[in-house]
Amino acid sequence: MSRNGKRPRYGITRAQIAAAQRQWRRGDHIGACAACGIEPAVDLRDVRERAGREVAAAVEDDLAHLVPDLLRWHALGQRPYPARTDSYLRWPALSLAGYGDNALHLAAWPEQGPLLGGTARFALRFGPLPDRSLPIARETWDARHAAGLLALCGGHTRLPFFAADGRRLAPAELEGAGPESLTERVVRLFAEAQYARAWEAAGADVELGEGIPESYLRVLPTLAPAGPVAIANARRAAARAGVPAAWIRAYGRVVRLDRLGPHDRPRVRVLAGAYLRDEPAVELAYSDVSWLPDFRDLLSGRLEPGDLHPMVAAALFPTMERAADAGPPDMPAPATVRVRCEGVWHELAHRGGTLTAPHPPEAAAREAALLAFGGPPPAGCPAAQLAWRGARIRLPRALRELRGELMLRVAAGEADTLEAMLDAGLDPNCRDGDDRTVLHLLPCLIPDGAALRLLPRLLAAGVNPNALDRDGLTPLMLAERSGARPELIAALRAATAT
């Protein structure tokens, strides 16, 4: 968790969003993709040869209206919290639009994925979908449909629990009629553990299969907390498929929605075992029965309205005053940390690329030498300084949180965050849980060129180009194995040789 009490949406910053938006509005779609770490690996000539002119024209039209930074924002929202470098992308691919047997989809950059934990970089592709791919709504990437994000959250004229200007409504202001009030009532009932009443309020009956306890209803809010939105999506999917029911797997069970006629009261059935194949039904996508991640984050307080992507904020809060720097909060500058040392409180601070303490510089070096020769672990300021640089000594909590947030953001591609921290005097000589330094994570940085620009600063700050991570790989070895740009590999090779 970040030090401001919220979990930031690691992987895209306000500056990256602004850069991508500028490029996209100028019609430079390739530049917009590059600004937010998406490789547009779609060859329209190949699409035409494989799928025909009509499909190629449809793909070209969709690509012309695709907003890369909006897509990346929602792709990042599909992963679990808190963000981890080994679960950066929860799904093998996100399916944007289908065209027969093929689909336009977003996947982790293949070479970097296994080595760099899912990576900060994505590839936009056309072709057959990988298994277990997750369909996402067109509203989450298509400029023509982005205004529909409000309806995906159960809203009509405002977002449930919020005013149209972004103000969170007081409980007394939530009474009334309309789709927002219905969603608000359903959410409140779920929060109060009145699950059957919540589904009843949403307009559906619930039936539990044999052997399934009523406590199972506790997990349904993670699938369909919207209630009315999930039912509406199930009705549309069933009508498109020409079948009377819809279903989705949920935590080892099958949740089946039937009686989906326009004038019927729907039924939600929770079934054990395999899906009943003798009863025709269409399989629902996860996005059909789940909240938009932005709405979940707003309800929980993880994000504030001003922290949203500008296009998301415009859709969810149509009358909110627009800030020039809208987007996720930037990482705050390193703060001074108090440490108990020699019976008194000392202050540690990041200054000029070093974690400084009120001791002579040789004090930490002396303790490091003693530790290397089997001496007792140091305490106080020297212990914190050595732990920050990778020694297996307990690091004060504030420094642990700072290090964790920094390394997560760097692994997710936030080059401007790393640069801002260096400008603020941060000591970059720290390691993540895999013993990787910021040099190991350089291939993740977005946009291209940021890694080469920051490499000299990191070397000047003393980051070791020959440091080994948990797998025994140096930054150069990891860059070579993860498909990094040739220029970065050459620069790392030169740094290693000196």
Side-chain angles (χ1 to χ4, degrees), residues 321-407:
E321 185 176 348
R322 299 285 172 258
D325 58 346
D330 293 328
M331 183 174 173
T336 298
V337 176
R338 299 181 73 218
V339 174
R340 191 74 172 171
C341 182
E342 299 176 353
V344 297
W345 289 101
H346 286 172
E347 290 189 344
L348 297 178
H350 288 269
R351 294 193 182 96
T354 302
L355 183 60
T356 63
H359 296 280
E362 57 270 15
R366 182 175 60 252
E367 294 291 348
L370 290 172
L371 186 63
F373 283 104
C381 296
Q385 290 174 302
L386 294 176
W388 176 263
R389 293 197 166 215
R392 301 297 183 184
I393 309 171
R394 185 180 179 279
L395 188 64
R397 179 179 177 181
L399 290 173
R400 285 201 311 273
E401 292 180 351
L402 172 64
R403 179 182 64 186
E405 183 170 346
L406 172 73
M407 298 304 281

Side-chain angles (χ1 to χ4, degrees), residues 159-170:
L159 188 70
F161 297 96
F162 292 85
D165 62 1
R167 179 175 57 90
R168 188 182 288 267
L169 297 176

Side-chain angles (χ1 to χ4, degrees), residues 84-458:
R84 288 168 51 91
T85 54
D86 62 354
S87 59
Y88 188 74
L89 186 64
R90 188 177 179 179
W91 311 91
L94 300 178
S95 173
L96 280 59
Y99 316 86
D101 295 331
N102 297 299
L104 188 65
H105 58 275
L106 189 75
W109 191 248
E111 291 81 8
Q112 289 187 356
L115 291 175
L116 289 172
T119 191
R121 297 180 178 275
F122 300 95
L124 187 63
R125 301 187 179 282
F126 174 87
L129 280 172
D131 292 338
R132 292 183 60 252
S133 297
L134 173 69
I136 61 173
R138 186 174 282 270
E139 289 87 345
T140 62
W141 58 270
D142 190 326
R144 297 167 294 186
H145 297 267
L149 290 169
L150 181 62
L152 293 184
C153 301
H156 180 62
T157 60
R158 63 175 179 84
L159 188 70
F161 297 96
F162 292 85
D165 62 1
R167 179 175 57 90
R168 188 182 288 267
L169 297 176
E173 299 177 276
L174 299 177
E175 302 298 330
E180 297 90 0
S181 294
L182 176 58
T183 298
E184 287 159 357
R185 186 179 177 215
V186 170
V187 170
R188 286 200 305 271
L189 288 170
F190 270 126
E192 295 167 0
Q194 300 185 54
Y195 307 123
R197 286 189 60 197
W199 277 107
E200 182 180 347
D205 298 320
V206 176
E207 293 183 8
L208 295 172
E210 183 179 353
I212 299 177
E214 187 173 351
S215 60
Y216 180 83
L217 293 177
R218 177 174 56 85
V219 307
L220 287 185
T222 64
L223 272 183
V229 175
I231 291 168
N233 287 340
R235 278 186 163 137
R236 282 193 291 268
R240 286 195 303 266
V243 295
W247 68 281
I248 189 168
R249 297 193 184 277
Y251 302 95
R253 303 287 190 266
V254 171
V255 178
R256 177 183 171 90
L257 290 85
D258 56 19
R259 301 203 301 238
L260 295 176
H263 305 294
D264 297 331
R265 181 175 175 84
R267 176 175 58 176
V268 177
R269 300 169 62 198
V270 183
L271 309 171
Y275 166 61
L276 303 179
R277 298 185 183 279
D278 57 339
E279 301 179 26
V282 61
E283 184 176 6
L284 294 171
Y286 182 85
S287 56
D288 287 331
V289 294
S290 62
W291 281 127
L292 188 72
D294 297 321
F295 189 25
R296 289 201 309 264
D297 291 346
L298 288 166
L299 285 178
S300 68
R302 288 172 177 152
L303 291 178
E304 297 297 332
D307 300 336
L308 293 170
H309 184 286
M311 294 180 71
V312 177
L316 300 186
F317 304 109
T319 65
M320 184 174 72
E321 185 176 348
R322 299 285 172 258
D325 58 346
D330 293 328
M331 183 174 173
T336 298
V337 176
R338 299 181 73 218
V339 174
R340 191 74 172 171
C341 182
E342 299 176 353
V344 297
W345 289 101
H346 286 172
E347 290 189 344
L348 297 178
H350 288 269
R351 294 193 182 96
T354 302
L355 183 60
T356 63
H359 296 280
E362 57 270 15
R366 182 175 60 252
E367 294 291 348
L370 290 172
L371 186 63
F373 283 104
C381 296
Q385 290 174 302
L386 294 176
W388 176 263
R389 293 197 166 215
R392 301 297 183 184
I393 309 171
R394 185 180 179 279
L395 188 64
R397 179 179 177 181
L399 290 173
R400 285 201 311 273
E401 292 180 351
L402 172 64
R403 179 182 64 186
E405 183 170 346
L406 172 73
M407 298 304 281
L408 282 170
R409 288 179 178 269
V410 173
E414 297 188 12
D416 48 313
T417 295
L418 176 56
E419 189 165 19
M421 291 299 101
L422 293 175
D423 290 343
L426 180 130
D427 181 352
N429 288 277
C430 54
R431 297 183 178 231
D432 65 10
D434 293 319
D435 265 350
R436 290 174 177 171
T437 69
V438 286
L439 293 184
H440 284 91
L441 301 178
L442 283 181
C444 298
L445 292 183
I446 298 166
D448 289 337
L452 282 174
R453 186 179 72 253
L454 291 173
L455 176 58
R457 292 190 65 177
L458 296 171

